Amino acid sequence: MNNRILTASLVALALASSPVLAGKNKGHEREGHGGPPAHAQAHRDNPPKAHGRHDNGRHLGWQKQAWKRGDRIPLEHLEPAYYIDDYRAYRLDSPPPGHRWVRPDADRYLLVEAATGLIVEALGY
């Protein structure tokens, strides 16, 4: 007897949930209410946090690089967008031949060998 009640309950539940699983009912949809709520769309567009969990403000994986003398910067930082041509405006010394001042972050300056990306001096770190 209990098996019949359980089976009947499961069948009723499956039949009741089938319209939900089938999708939207186009005949009863009101204008402006067809899609997911705005907050659901925003969450879907954001990538998941580290290891699929929220990091509670620790910003795992989002740390600034602490450059130091002897490091090599990535070659993409040796592009004109990062160059400091007017080094006097930033109160920097004239770079020696073959060297450039680059600015990878605000208020941080690196004197690097232009050909290799080797850091000779790091200011603001």
Side-chain angles (χ1 to χ4, degrees):
M1 183 68 175
N2 285 338
N3 286 340
R4 286 185 181 173
I5 294 174
L6 181 60
T7 303
S9 298
L10 289 174
V11 168
L13 181 63
L15 292 174
S17 63
S18 62
V20 173
L21 296 175
K24 298 176 190 173
N25 186 350
K26 299 292 184 189
H28 295 93
E29 193 173 272
R30 292 185 297 172
E31 185 175 320
H33 296 283
H39 69 278
Q41 180 67 28
H43 288 296
R44 186 172 31 173
D45 292 341
N46 292 333
K49 301 291 182 186
H51 307 293
R53 313 185 299 270
H54 193 278
D55 61 3
N56 293 323
R58 292 179 296 182
H59 304 291
L60 300 175
W62 293 92
Q63 57 192 4
K64 286 188 176 181
Q65 174 67 42
W67 299 110
K68 61 186 183 296
R69 187 176 177 186
D71 287 345
R72 288 189 195 276
I73 63 170
L75 292 179
E76 52 265 8
H77 287 300
L78 290 175
E79 293 180 5
Y82 295 99
Y83 292 169
I84 299 176
D85 292 323
D86 189 13
Y87 49 88
R88 287 187 185 98
Y90 295 94
R91 298 183 183 172
L92 300 170
D93 293 332
S94 174
H99 292 74
R100 286 207 83 91
W101 283 106
V102 296
R103 185 178 181 188
D105 291 318
D107 299 328
R108 299 180 194 257
Y109 309 97
L110 301 173
L111 180 62
V112 299
E113 289 181 358
T116 63
L118 183 70
I119 298 173
V120 177
E121 190 173 348
L123 302 176
Y125 289 92

